[in-house]
Every structure is written in C-alpha cells, then in structure tokens.
Amino acid sequence: MKVFISSDMEGTAGVVNWDQCRPGQHDYEHYRALLQAEVNAAIDGANLAGGPHEFLVNDSHGRMANLRPEQLAGEAAYLSGHHKPLYMMQGLDESFDAVFFVSYHGSASAGPATLSHTYNPAAIAEVRLNGVLAGESGINSLVAIAHGVPVVLVTGDQTTASELQPFWPEARAAVVKQSISRFAAESLHPARANRLIANQAKEAIEALTESGRKPQGRIERPATLTVRLRNPDIAEMATWLERVEPDEHDPTVVQLRDDDLVRLYRTFITLVLLTRGIAE
C-alpha cells in the first residue's frame, strides 16, 4: 500500500504561536522536532497495519523544508521545496491508496482554531467549497478526489477535524489539541499525541484493507470555490485569471467553478500566488 502524507505544522501539539513554526525564530528547532515526531507516528502507525508500506511525505509548511529526511520513519520518500505546481498535494497520483493530512489547522473564518488561516491570511478571509466552509484540508481534497485516492486521516485540533468531516465522513481524526482561541490551545503531551496519531493511522489503514473498498469523497462536480478576499482590490486582481468570476453582490467575493478538480485547484493556487503581490 502507498500512502501520501501532506504535512503542515500549525496543527502540531504545543504549537500556538507563529514564531514556533517559522525558521530562524528561537523556538523553531524545538517545534520542528515535535512535527517530525508526529509525521513519524503516522508512518509507524500505518506500518502496524500489515506493513511495511510505501510512503511519500510532501513537506507543505512555509518554505516546505521543515523535516529532516534522514529521520523520517519507514524510509519514506521526501518531497520538499517551495515551488510546487500542486503545492500541498504535489506528488499525489493514482498509484496511491490513501492520503494522510498531518498537523493541519482550521480555516481563516473558523473558530476557535489555533493559527487559523487558508493558504494566505493576508488575502483570503474565507473559502467555501460547494457552499460548505472549507479549510486547506477541504480544498486539498479536490486533488485527492480527482485521483481517486481517499483521505483517511487528519491530525490537528478539533476544528480541523470537524472541517474535514463533510468531505470525508469516514476519515479518522487524531485531535491532539483543543483550540481555545487563535493563539491558545490545550495540547496533549507530545508522547500521548504521537500514540493517538499512530493508533488512528493504524485504524485508518486497517479499515481500508479490511473493507476492500475506497471511501468516496463528497464533492460534487462541477465544483465551485467561493472565495472571500480581504478587500475589493484583491478580488478584482483575482478576476484577471481565467475561470475566476466576480460575485454580483459582493465586491470582495469571487467564484471559481470547474468540472476538472485538479484544474480548479491549480486555479485557486494561482489566485493565492497572484494576490500575494498586493496583500498588505
């Protein structure tokens, strides 16, 4: 079995401040080690379910070079670097059997959700996928569904877990912290968090192998992303892209609609990158 792991960092147990997950800051080295342990816990847990399995870890946080490849469990392949056409989902294709989202966080308009944002907090206020509030887990699910690979595990806080559920109701969730606000959370001890992640990863893979079927994501096609930007200037710039239309009633809202889910995702990522040019 091949497992694709997209790893962020804000969802790691104990992380509640931007400085804890930004290279060059005093606490970063400590918290990147905690992230590495959570990624390894997911790999180890999966391998307990009839392993060893094959893994690809796509480092998807910040500069996308946070993990130490020689310390990855399961001799996992490591995809790093910040220019990726498919961003947090780069490397996923039809050859994989399952997707894990590790150390994910809540969306920009969700709450409480520690360090909440949706790709670019300076530009994006809210995203809805077919009318449902969507964080990065929901948006990234477009690529998983396009390739027919189920998302079976998410780790992070309680809001992150609840946001994935409408799109993947059968996915396991390892809730390693309870968010109190955007900058406060009650986290499990890292050892307990790692055991929980390993257990949920094991159960997720066991459920796949025992059922003999792949869970189906709940995203109807054509799919629509409704994106609320921080101001009308950013929204107007977004409409320079093909398949991005302004909202008739709100100058801060644009809509992206497409039958091709990968193309829809790529259009959204291009929107994110473009709007960084004028976001304050």
Side-chain angles (χ1 to χ4, degrees), residues 245-260:
E245 300 295 332
D247 184 83
E248 294 180 1
H249 307 290
D250 190 332
T252 66
V253 173
V254 298
Q255 291 194 341
L256 298 66
R257 184 176 175 86
D258 210 320
D259 285 298
D260 185 328

Side-chain angles (χ1 to χ4, degrees), residues 59-97:
D59 191 327
S60 301
H61 172 73
R63 296 187 306 175
M64 302 185 177
N66 303 281
L67 302 173
R68 298 189 183 280
E70 77 281 4
Q71 294 178 12
L72 283 172
E75 297 185 350
Y78 181 50
L79 201 168
S80 58
H82 66 273
H83 178 63
K84 301 172 183 172
L86 286 180
Y87 216 76
M88 300 178 80
M89 299 302 286
Q90 186 68 43
L92 181 67
D93 59 31
E94 291 82 359
S95 69
F96 286 86
D97 301 287

Side-chain angles (χ1 to χ4, degrees), residues 7 59 127 150 171 205 244 248:
S7 66
D59 191 327
V127 177
I205 297 301
V244 179
E248 294 180 1

